[in-house]
Amino acid sequence: MEISVVGSGYVGTTVAACLADLGHTVTNVDIDEGVVDSINAGEAPIHEPGLDELLAKHGGDRLRATTDYDAVRDTDLTFVALPTPSNEDGSIDLSIIGGGMESLGGALASKSDPHVVVVKSTVVPGSTETELEPAMRRAGAGENVHVAVNPEFQREGSAVEDYLNPDKLVVGTDSEYARETLAAVFEPLIERADSDPPLVETGLREAEMIKYANNTFLAAKISLINELGNICKEYDVDAYEVAEAIGLDDRIGEQFLQSGVGWGGSCFPKDTAALIAAAERAGYDPALLKAVVAVNDGQPGRMLGLAERHVDVEGSRVAVLGLAFKPGTDDIRHSRAIPLIEALRERGAEVVAYDPVAGENMRERFPDIEYADSAAAALDGAHLALVVTDWDEFTALDEEFDTMATPVVVDGRRIVGRRDGLTYEGLTW
Ligand code: UDX
């Protein structure tokens, strides 16, 4: 099929590259000329495992990019993968995607053949029906243009693999034509996937809500195990032993039970805040979701509290190990390292930070702290080490701890292997 993808950010680029690999002809539309040139040259504009290979194979060939919205007219279907950032109060900001829908409407105004526009971005329930579709229609899109919602559940670091092997395909639409066209788009994916992903056919609002429910459920699962873990710590109970046992109950499941310093990234914090704001706007007080955020916000403080049982943070040299929001990425968005570094500075500590790949990104956020180029260098002379990201290399740290001024380690991810000869505190164990 001829497919267009509007937006070549993290989701748009992986989706476009995967669709090309599945045999479709894909046009990526983006306002950023640098990104467009890079795709046409067969180079991935973002880092994701497997994406370089897909771009090298299809970029400039079956996958092309352009800054011209009119290119969508020559395609059968358009996925819209534009950013939906947060407003100051946490509510969703639809201005970018709204503008994109308007441009799309203008481009499709002169088309008479049927066309499907699929919202892939995360938007709160009702957005497509009450804001995005009307924006597109006002700009000229006619009755021949059908609308659907198809949320994406990719994780950073495995976005290509997740797209090609999804747990489910969610299609929300009131249009039979859109449903059939999307089924044709997914046919090669279903054929290639390791196991048949269930197709969930639903309405526009339900599809929008499924994305929020999925993400907030997972964030809540982590916050619940973190709260249970905090209680475990107070009673000298190992939360990981508890988690292993409860995970054996199929109704609970073993995944996302790693307690520690909490969740970050581009999705969980933004989506939880947006759903809370949407609920409040509708007159409902989402008490549990607010608590999910409150527990997460409290974890860095718990870490510092444990540290202060052993060292006076004021005036101490503190090594922060791990700056990325999770291992395998240089993304620091909502990383737990950010509130930790802020709190350390407020308390008058001298911070030395290390991350295998995220140091440069954190330097933009905190230009004034010291950055070490290895964990060993960060630990040398430090009075305290705080382990924030579960990078594998931290498991192997051993004699590096012997160079600390006082070997106090607070582990926020249960990743440090050595325990002997250290004042070691696990956050929830
Ligand atoms: C998440 C969702 O998993 C994905 O489906 C959605 O499309 C986007 O948001 P991502 O943000 O890439 O993906 O990261 P994920 O691997 O889910 O981890 C999120 C955060 O939770 C990380 O900060 C991670 O460290 C933390 N986490 C995860 C825990 O603290 N404990 C766990 O058991 C699992």
Side-chain angles (χ1 to χ4, degrees):
M1 289 179 71
E2 298 277 345
I3 297 174
S4 43
V5 179
V6 175
S8 5
Y10 166 76
V11 172
T13 308
T14 36
V15 167
C18 289
L19 288 169
D21 202 52
L22 290 167
H24 299 299
T25 302
V26 186
T27 307
N28 224 165
V29 182
D30 200 282
I31 51 165
D32 187 328
E33 283 185 22
V35 169
V36 165
D37 291 345
S38 139
I39 292 171
N40 287 331
E43 284 158 19
I46 53 158
H47 175 73
E48 248 328 295
L51 194 61
D52 286 344
E53 290 84 341
L54 293 186
L55 258 298
K57 207 161 141 196
H58 306 297
D61 181 28
R62 210 148 69 205
L63 168 62
R64 285 171 191 276
T66 172
T67 54
D68 184 7
Y69 266 85
D70 287 346
V72 304
R73 268 202 297 266
D74 302 325
T75 66
D76 307 307
L77 174 144
T78 307
F79 284 107
V80 182
L82 289 168
T84 50
S86 303
N87 289 312
E88 202 90 326
D89 64 355
S91 64
I92 193 167
D93 173 1
L94 290 175
S95 57
I96 298 174
I97 187 168
M101 291 296 279
E102 241 180 87
S103 305
L104 209 48
L108 292 170
S110 57
K111 183 168 176 174
S112 49
D113 288 341
H115 192 95
V116 182
V117 170
V118 186
V119 174
K120 211 169 226 327
S121 309
T122 305
V123 294
V124 296
S127 304
T128 301
E129 220 173 302
T130 60
E131 297 196 41
L132 304 182
E133 183 177 348
M136 186 184 77
R137 302 258 179 236
R138 276 196 305 271
E143 289 300 304
N144 57 317
V145 181
H146 302 254
V147 176
V149 170
N150 167 233
E152 203 46 62
F153 302 93
Q154 301 164 308
R155 288 161 298 176
E156 271 185 51
S158 55
V160 170
E161 171 60 23
D162 288 348
Y163 187 80
L164 295 171
N165 281 299
D167 302 329
K168 55 189 173 279
L169 291 165
V170 177
V171 173
T173 184
D174 300 326
S175 151
E176 192 48 41
Y177 179 80
R179 218 187 320 274
E180 280 168 14
T181 312
L182 270 167
V185 172
F186 293 138
E187 210 176 270
L189 191 155
I190 292 169
E191 245 166 58
R192 197 205 282 186
D194 297 340
S195 59
D196 269 9
L199 183 62
V200 180
E201 293 183 337
T202 180
L204 291 168
R205 286 169 186 251
E206 285 75 15
E208 291 167 330
M209 185 63 189
I210 286 167
K211 170 70 190 239
Y212 281 99
N214 215 98
N215 273 352
T216 56
F217 203 102
L218 291 171
K221 191 174 182 186
I222 303 169
S223 279
L224 179 55
I225 198 65
N226 282 343
E227 178 147 285
L228 293 169
N230 293 341
I231 300 170
C232 286
K233 182 72 182 177
E234 296 305 322
Y235 282 90
D236 271 331
V237 172
D238 183 338
Y240 278 71
E241 284 187 31
V242 173
E244 203 180 325
I246 63 172
L248 295 171
D249 186 326
D250 284 343
R251 292 169 302 174
I252 295 174
E254 62 182 8
Q255 292 190 56
F256 272 60
L257 286 181
Q258 281 160 282
S259 53
V261 69
W263 39 267
S266 62
C267 288
F268 287 175
K270 174 171 89 77
D271 294 352
T272 315
L275 193 58
I276 289 172
E280 284 179 334
R281 190 171 294 171
Y284 177 77
D285 177 29
L288 183 54
L289 284 181
K290 286 181 183 168
V292 164
V293 175
V295 169
N296 199 52
D297 288 346
Q299 291 310 88
R302 292 274 312 167
M303 242 177 130
L304 278 188
L306 287 174
E308 280 175 333
R309 291 183 189 175
H310 308 285
V311 283
D312 186 3
V313 167
E314 190 183 343
S316 288
R317 185 169 166 82
V318 181
V320 175
L321 300 185
L323 303 171
F325 88 93
K326 67 174 187 180
T329 175
D330 66 354
D331 193 342
I332 60 155
R333 281 177 289 177
H334 294 276
S335 163
R336 305 289 74 207
I338 295 171
L340 257 178
I341 293 171
E342 272 166 358
L344 285 168
R345 290 186 359 140
E346 264 164 35
R347 290 179 204 199
E350 177 193 330
V351 179
V352 49
Y354 167 70
D355 189 283
V357 294
E360 283 314 306
N361 286 340
M362 198 56 97
R363 197 191 291 275
E364 281 172 29
R365 179 75 177 70
F366 295 108
D368 301 333
I369 61 168
E370 196 180 320
Y371 291 87
D373 49 21
S374 67
L379 290 170
D380 194 6
H383 302 95
L384 167 68
L386 300 173
V387 185
V388 186
T389 314
D390 35 346
W391 286 106
D392 275 347
E393 66 173 78
F394 298 152
T395 316
L397 289 174
D398 189 352
E399 61 263 24
E400 291 84 351
F401 290 118
D402 296 327
T403 62
M404 293 179 74
T406 49
V408 181
V409 177
V410 183
D411 189 349
R413 299 283 182 193
R414 204 189 182 81
I415 188 76
V416 173
R418 171 164 163 194
R419 303 287 158 93
D420 294 345
L422 300 180
T423 302
Y424 177 91
E425 289 279 7
L427 192 47
T428 58
W429 57 97

